[in-house]
Amino acid sequence: MMQLKKLFTPVGSLDAGEAKAYMAKHREGDYTLLDVRQPGEYEDAHLPGAKLLPLPGLSDTYQALDQEKPTLVYCAIGGRSRVAAQMLSGWGFKEVYNLAGGIKAFHGHKATGPVELNLDLVKGDETPAQIIILAYGMEKALQLFYETLKQQSPDPELQDLFGKLAQVEVRHEQRLFEVYGRVASGGADLASFESTIVAQTLEGGFSAGEFLATNKSHLQTVPEVLDLAMMLETQALDLYLRFADRCDQPQTKEVLHALAGEEKAHLASLGRLLDEKSGRGG
């Protein structure tokens, strides 16, 4: 059973030097080296002995890993792998580390991962209504993120992609609000819901402008933008899977599972586009 209280709780990180020392100290087979990048990235270059489980499908494939073994997760620059490590920790893996800076730092290049949304709001004892509020807040944050990226992107294909993703988040918000009306006593109209309840959820947690400014160094190229978007979509997927696991109401659980399925599809689309934009599409 997933541990809701671990949602977005930072996992341990190893810098490149620490990771190399860890790998030198431990025998092969005593730990798992996990690569969560796309297949094309893996084919271009990967760390010896690394097992490839791309991030978009990790929730369906992680059972292939040994939860009792220490797991060192890496990606390109550390963003996707950090979210993957959080997910593995929530699924009960005993010892999980994120390779800070990713394979780029490991090979001697300066690299630091992006800063994710500040959504460490889960305590572990949320009611169904509170769960929906948190999920709605995540969708609203993602909507603002994609709308801002659409305005700033010079790439027409990315503009179209971000516009579509923003609209999907809007549809998710509508569905979550419908569920909220079923689980909350008294309910609320949408305007009141967004202006009061959701405002409290997002307060101090997300500003599209500030978020983009903080991550400016990771938004210089199309692959970097897609890498960051995949990290955020994975956080949304993780949220839905954990909330669905905790939820006792069948209708709410069904909606959360459906939303998780859509997030998986988004991740797969972003992964394919990342391969194409990186010159690895085939």
Side-chain angles (χ1 to χ4, degrees), residues 201-216:
T201 302
L202 293 177
E203 182 178 348
F206 180 79
S207 163
E210 292 179 4
F211 178 75
L212 291 172
T214 301
N215 288 282
K216 185 176 181 180

Side-chain angles (χ1 to χ4, degrees), residues 24-41:
K25 179 180 178 181
H26 292 77
R27 294 190 309 169
E28 294 299 325
D30 286 350
Y31 68 95
T32 300
L33 183 59
L34 179 62
D35 188 323
V36 295
R37 298 173 301 156
Q38 290 299 109
E41 294 175 284

Side-chain angles (χ1 to χ4, degrees), residues 53-190:
L53 292 182
L55 183 61
L58 185 61
S59 62
D60 297 318
T61 59
Y62 77 92
Q63 294 91 341
L65 303 174
D66 187 343
Q67 297 186 8
E68 300 300 319
K69 287 184 179 180
T71 304
L72 176 58
V73 192
Y74 75 90
C75 63
I77 56 174
R80 283 175 284 172
S81 58
R82 183 168 59 217
V83 178
Q86 290 170 347
M87 295 175 74
L88 293 174
S89 178
W91 286 323
F93 280 64
K94 304 301 183 185
E95 187 178 343
V96 186
Y97 302 101
N98 173 49
L99 174 54
I103 193 171
K104 181 178 179 180
F106 193 89
H107 286 323
H109 304 287
K110 184 177 181 181
T112 56
V115 177
E116 74 257 39
L117 296 174
N118 177 19
L119 290 171
D120 52 343
L121 305 169
V122 176
K123 305 303 180 185
D125 58 354
E126 282 74 17
T127 65
Q130 290 171 325
I131 285 173
I132 298 303
I133 290 170
L134 288 168
Y136 193 104
M138 168 65 89
E139 294 293 350
K140 179 61 69 175
L142 287 170
Q143 176 197 340
L144 295 173
F145 172 69
Y146 290 131
E147 287 177 346
T148 304
L149 279 179
K150 180 183 178 181
Q151 294 173 359
Q152 296 185 0
S153 176
D155 186 313
E157 185 177 5
L158 279 178
Q159 290 176 9
D160 181 64
L161 172 66
F162 292 135
K164 289 178 179 177
L165 287 172
Q167 286 304 307
V168 170
E169 309 305 346
V170 171
R171 290 197 294 272
H172 285 185
E173 292 163 25
Q174 293 170 343
R175 292 170 64 182
L176 286 167
F177 180 67
E178 292 173 2
V179 175
Y180 180 79
R182 293 199 295 265
V183 302
S185 58
D189 61 83
L190 181 58

